[in-house]
Amino acid sequence: MPERARTAQADALIGELQRQRQGRLTLFLGAAPGVGKTYAMLGRARELRRRGVDVVVAIVETHGRGETAALVDGLDVLPRLAIPYRGHVVEEMDLDRLLARKPEVALVDELAHRNAPGSRHERRWQDVMELLDAGIDVYSTINIQHLESLNDVVHRITGVRVGETVPDAVFDRLRDIVLVDLPPGELIERLHQGKVYLPEQAAQALQSFFVPSNLAALRELAMQTAADRVDSDLREAQTARGVAAVPLRRQVIVAIDGRGQSEYLVRIARRLAERRNAPWTVVSVERREWPHDVQLEIDRALAMARRLGGATEVLHGDNVVDALLDYANRIGASSIVIGRTRDRPLARLFNRAITQQLIQRGAHFEIVIVSTPEARAESRKREGGIGSRLRLGDFWQATLISVVFVAIAAVAKRWLDISDLSMIFIVAVLVVATRTRVAAALYAAVLCFFAYDFFFIPPYFTLYISAQRGVTTALLFLVTALLAGRLAARLRTQVVALRASNAHATALESLSRDLAAAADPGDVERAGRNALKRVLGARAIVHLGSGTPASDDLDDKALAAAQWTFAHGQPAGRFTATLSACPWWFLPLRGNGNTIGWVGLRMDDAVERLAAEQQRLAEAMTDDIAQAALRTRLVGDLQDARMTGETERLRSALLSSVSHDLRSPLAAIIGSASSLQHYGAQMDGHDRDELLDTIRTEGQRLDRYIQNLLDMTRLGHGGLKLNRDWIGVDEVVGAAVERICKFVPGALVEVDIESGLAPLWVHPALVEQALFNIIENAAKFSPPGKPVRVQAGDIADGALQVDIIDQGPGIPEADRARIFDMFYSVERGDRGRHGTGLGLTIAQGMIGAHGGAVAALPGRDGRGTCIRITLPRTMPDAAHQ
């Protein structure tokens, strides 16, 4: 018996002896509450009682079910322990009394129960462990959702996170597991009948947890757990007896080595396990530090296995076959999936292939050997062995190089008096090996050997070697040339592979840079199309979405293949088995489990088969394009969300503005009109004039407010049209100041206009309204008796600059740019004193429509604010002259 097997048998025997000295646990496992776990446990207890076994009911929860309570009658029931908690008395299992009583079997219901504060242990399963350590057998119940390792799985199935869980280590103490099963339909019927929960609770449970799909999935989990436990117990018992384990459940393991077909093997194993409804594990045997490319492939394959729902394991050992068989025996696997290994002639002399060893030594396993033409071709290319594709040009090149070096050796012997010419021919072999493949290098080694013997070893011009020393020299030369050629050819193969890998990485890096700059789906399509065309030398189409692209390159057949790719998420067209008559090769763009578009590639018609490296590169670039498309889509969604939030904020601000700025003048108008109506006859002329003036003033204020809203609407929808005309600067400024003095009584405005200013070609009413809004805003916040200054003059580039300067409290620097936002208000902003929060926004829009700008600057001497308007001077075109 191997040493490892003897160790496993000893461990199993020790574990069996330890379990015999301790209490044994029997669990009644169910998929959900109400399947009858407690009822089954009590039935088993009554049977034991009839046999004379000392059985005690430590704690059983009947939940008001009469048939369950009837089974308790006649059994020895342990009094419960009363624990005061927050003004109430909670009854729990009396652990100390049970230990003192020490029955043969104790019934402990609801293993996952959380004990009341003040108990010895926090959880009931801890009480059970203490009972088992004391040598008392325990019968208990548990639902599958309370098992710790299945907590996340149950949460994904039901959407409910179970808080009371039991560690899987408790299952190590099991002697027996009883699966209490009930079909989902019958369980739901029991729920309707009130046999599980009260009517109110039952109605809620039927809407959430107790739905048929949840119950079916939990039932499957319970069956799998019970089967795993039975399989594990059988393996331990057989190992303890030194008998080879016979798996009861079909379990699949797949071995990968990172040599080009790892991911393909993972997919094969996934489909195989799915057909058999069996668990599966992907393993890799690590004997030494893997090369970087091999390690990357193994990591990708293991990650894929985890995504597909399989388990992963990295084994360590000097012998791959021993490690695989030992692991398969340990977990009770029934099938081993492995890629086909190359069966080279020299390998038969020294070591059999891994597949042959597995077939011979793993007779009780199902050995599945998988291979693909692509994997074999890639393996031959990477290994660069004798079986590589032979090219006639390589042999002509090897012959020519050998002839050249024969000439060099002849010259060296005659003119340089070099006696040992073997190094010259070794150099010839190295030159051939660095320029061709291994087969040509070996051919050159043999050719140089015969040339060296024929021309330079006595007797000359014959293959006969007279001296023993010459024979030794020739043979050593042949061996050295063969080894040097082999090593040089392998080095060349590695250099070629490195170049290909570097080209692959460079192409992906270039694509990533282009995609990083893409701001929308259209940019992603253009960047991906240009990169694919540049790297693969093919016509390319990148299309996001399900519609038809605006391209004349695709005929009806190609469009049908593209639509099939989008609908099924799989490649189609050329180089595939689906719609292969189409000259285009279509690849799906997948993200978040869905197809979001496709990539179409049309190679040169002379290309009959796509190289594996090119195919991987195209697929990798397609994945990057899909991720970039998802990123831009996410950015668009975030922008839409921000826009929605901003719209909601503006809507709230508008409602707030309307509620205040519309209601205030209306209230004044209504109040004044009501006073005139009811008390006008008793008022003198002065009071009536004041009320009428209030109605007129508030009406004009209301009119300005509505006009601001209309102007803002036109600005927002691009409906503001410019009707330009010539107007003097002093005229437009004077009109705005005159309106201010009329509508803002008491406002002081000082005007300083540079003399000789040329007239403006603008829309006079809009510029006047912009000036009015800004001057009105400044007047509101100027201290009483302090004037607002309006200064106008030309600046260096010929534009007009108008400064409106107040002496108010000023605007913080951080808020100067934001005061032009709609409804934005600071302590000194234009909403603070009878404003709408729109005046500065409208002014900026009106000036901006003329190509000008409005900016907020600090006031003179650090006090107040300066609003600067810059208007470019434009000239009318011929149509307006």
Side-chain angles (χ1 to χ4, degrees), residues 479-664:
V479 173
T480 304
L482 290 172
L483 292 176
R486 173 70 173 176
L487 293 175
R490 180 175 295 177
L491 178 62
R492 175 184 176 275
T493 302
Q494 293 174 352
V495 170
V496 170
L498 183 60
R499 287 175 180 170
S501 177
N502 183 61
H504 188 122
T506 302
L508 293 180
E509 182 182 2
S510 175
L511 175 62
S512 298
R513 285 197 303 267
D514 295 341
L515 293 175
D520 54 47
D523 292 343
V524 172
E525 290 181 351
R526 284 189 293 273
R529 180 174 61 249
N530 294 335
L532 289 167
K533 182 178 179 181
R534 181 177 63 251
V535 174
L536 299 176
R539 282 191 289 171
I541 296 177
V542 178
H543 179 67
L544 298 174
S546 58
T548 301
S551 175
D552 297 332
D553 294 336
L554 302 180
D555 55 15
D556 293 340
K557 187 182 299 184
L559 288 174
Q563 292 170 359
W564 192 93
T565 294
F566 183 85
H568 296 83
Q570 297 178 6
R574 193 176 180 187
F575 310 126
T576 71
T578 303
L579 301 173
S580 56
C582 175
W584 288 80
W585 178 36
F586 292 99
L587 296 170
L589 293 172
R590 296 186 60 82
N592 295 334
N594 299 316
T595 304
I596 60 175
W598 48 264
V599 168
L601 297 171
R602 181 160 186 176
M603 306 294 184
D604 190 279
D605 293 338
V607 179
E608 297 181 359
R609 188 178 185 83
L610 194 64
E613 183 64 30
Q614 275 191 308
Q615 182 175 350
R616 286 198 298 268
L617 179 57
E619 292 171 349
M621 295 179 72
T622 300
D623 290 340
D624 286 353
I625 294 171
Q627 294 304 313
L630 286 176
R631 174 182 57 80
T632 57
R633 178 180 294 181
L634 178 60
V635 170
D637 292 343
L638 291 175
Q639 289 177 344
D640 291 343
R642 272 197 300 268
M643 185 63 67
T644 302
E646 183 67 14
T647 303
E648 181 63 24
R649 186 185 68 82
L650 292 178
R651 186 185 69 85
S652 300
L654 178 60
L655 291 175
S656 175
S657 177
V658 169
S659 67
H660 176 272
D661 296 303
L662 193 59
R663 189 188 311 167
S664 297

Side-chain angles (χ1 to χ4, degrees), residues 100 128 514 620 718 730:
V128 169
D514 295 341
D730 54 349

